[in-house]
Amino acid sequence: MTNDKKKIIIGNWKMNLNMQDASLYLQRLSELIKIRRDVEVILAPTTLTLQSLSLQVNLRQFKLASQNFYWRDHGSYTGEVSATQLRGIVQYGLVGHSERRHIFCESDKDICNKVAAAIRNHIRPVLCIGETAWERSNGETYDILQDQLIGGLANITSDELSQVVIAYEPVWAVGTGQNALPTYVSAAAKAIRGQIEHLYGSAAAKSIQVLYGGSVTIDSAADYLSLPELDGLLIGGASLNAHSFSEIIKKAHKGSSTGEKD
Ligand code: 13P
């Protein structure tokens, strides 16, 4: 269904790696990875290191993403960085990551404002959605996905939707070592596309890029990448090591339609 689309592999470094480590990592990863037309590799370092990495990065090889930003463009918001300030530095921005929702209490309203701010500033938002363990055990997974999609995309037109990437990250799988089974992820990705179809029509449902994140490792990556409903991965822990991240990227390439090998 989605094999002709580029795979997306995002490394979310969270609050790890200082400026020097980040620069060394980028150098090492660029030695390990060839430029691929069929895989978009995106690094999401801390805000602190974004600007210096933006000067170092070869954009044909990697893109950059912010892990967070504030939705207003400028003003008296102590400690915040806006999408307007990130414009030209990043090409993507994570929005509504479960750690933002659950540790920093971001609401669907905040998230919907951030999706709109990213698009207004020519940054592709990666809208993260997913249920908690409690919601899962109560059979609420699909309701949560629906609510978070409707909430996050509330101000987004059909034209703007083409800029949006959706990342399905069940909260119980993030950083726990307990990854969701591929069959479970496949069903969730279908439900996400079904909801997008309901909101924006069948063409949008087919073309939107849907990623999975949650305790993905070198060993589990290929199983997800072979799912026709899925367009890539959002990786935390396994992206902190340039070697393991490069191995996952290579699997995305090998699993793609061109069949080119290393
Ligand atoms: P882990 O891969 O460490 O579970 O993190 C997933 C994640 O939160 C990526 O955004």
Side-chain angles (χ1 to χ4, degrees):
M1 176 170 62
T2 57
N3 278 351
D4 53 336
K5 286 185 280 175
K6 258 190 184 191
K7 291 270 192 266
I8 294 181
I9 305 288
I10 308 179
N12 176 9
W13 297 353
K14 307 193 180 182
M15 202 172 67
N16 297 292
L17 306 191
N18 63 22
M19 297 255 279
Q20 194 184 6
D21 295 338
S23 174
L24 287 172
Y25 178 114
L26 182 59
Q27 193 183 330
R28 173 132 176 72
L29 191 67
S30 55
E31 288 161 5
L32 291 167
I33 290 298
K34 292 186 202 155
I35 294 174
R36 324 263 190 196
R37 266 183 311 211
D38 58 345
V39 185
E40 179 104 307
V41 180
I42 304 165
L43 301 171
T46 60
T47 306
L48 176 71
T49 60
L50 272 174
Q51 188 167 25
S52 61
L53 290 186
S54 76
L55 300 174
Q56 184 184 340
V57 76
N58 174 357
L59 286 178
R60 291 180 59 230
Q61 197 170 23
F62 307 118
K63 301 286 192 278
L64 292 176
S66 56
Q67 296 176 15
N68 183 40
F69 52 85
Y70 189 48
W71 59 271
R72 290 198 190 269
D73 289 344
H74 45 76
S76 302
Y77 303 102
T78 302
E80 295 297 322
V81 172
S82 71
T84 307
Q85 292 171 310
L86 289 166
R87 185 175 178 157
I89 295 177
V90 300
Q91 294 71 46
Y92 290 81
L94 303 187
V95 179
H97 189 281
S98 60
E99 288 149 15
R100 301 293 322 166
R101 290 180 192 262
H102 297 289
I103 303 173
F104 299 99
C105 304
E106 280 188 12
S107 66
D108 277 334
K109 180 84 183 127
D110 297 322
I111 290 161
C112 135
N113 282 329
K114 287 184 180 195
V115 172
I119 289 173
R120 168 167 92 237
N121 285 287
H122 303 282
I123 293 169
R124 291 190 71 189
V126 180
L127 173 62
C128 304
I129 60 174
E131 79 286 3
T132 63
W134 188 87
E135 289 158 348
R136 181 191 182 201
S137 63
N138 278 282
E140 293 175 13
T141 296
Y142 296 151
D143 291 339
I144 295 296
L145 297 183
Q146 177 176 320
D147 288 352
Q148 292 182 349
L149 279 173
I150 292 173
L153 299 175
N155 296 334
I156 301 308
T157 65
S158 296
D159 278 355
E160 291 168 337
L161 187 75
S162 63
Q163 296 305 305
V164 177
V165 177
I166 306 289
Y168 172 54
E169 293 208 308
V171 183
W172 51 268
V174 169
T176 59
Q178 192 195 344
N179 56 313
L181 291 176
T183 48
Y184 186 87
V185 173
S186 166
K190 280 184 191 151
I192 289 167
R193 290 188 194 281
Q195 185 59 30
I196 295 292
E197 179 168 7
H198 180 66
L199 295 171
Y200 294 97
S202 59
K206 282 200 187 92
S207 62
I208 195 153
Q209 288 159 301
V210 180
L211 317 181
Y212 167 70
S215 298
V216 175
T217 61
I218 300 181
D219 292 336
S220 62
D223 288 342
Y224 298 111
L225 289 165
S226 66
L227 295 174
E229 301 80 18
L230 217 59
D231 300 293
L233 297 167
L234 175 50
I235 297 167
S239 75
L240 287 175
N241 177 292
H243 173 74
S244 54
F245 192 51
S246 71
E247 289 301 312
I248 293 173
I249 295 164
K250 286 176 192 167
K251 286 180 201 291
H253 180 61
K254 286 173 184 165
S256 72
S257 51
T258 68
E260 189 193 326
K261 302 273 191 286
D262 277 326

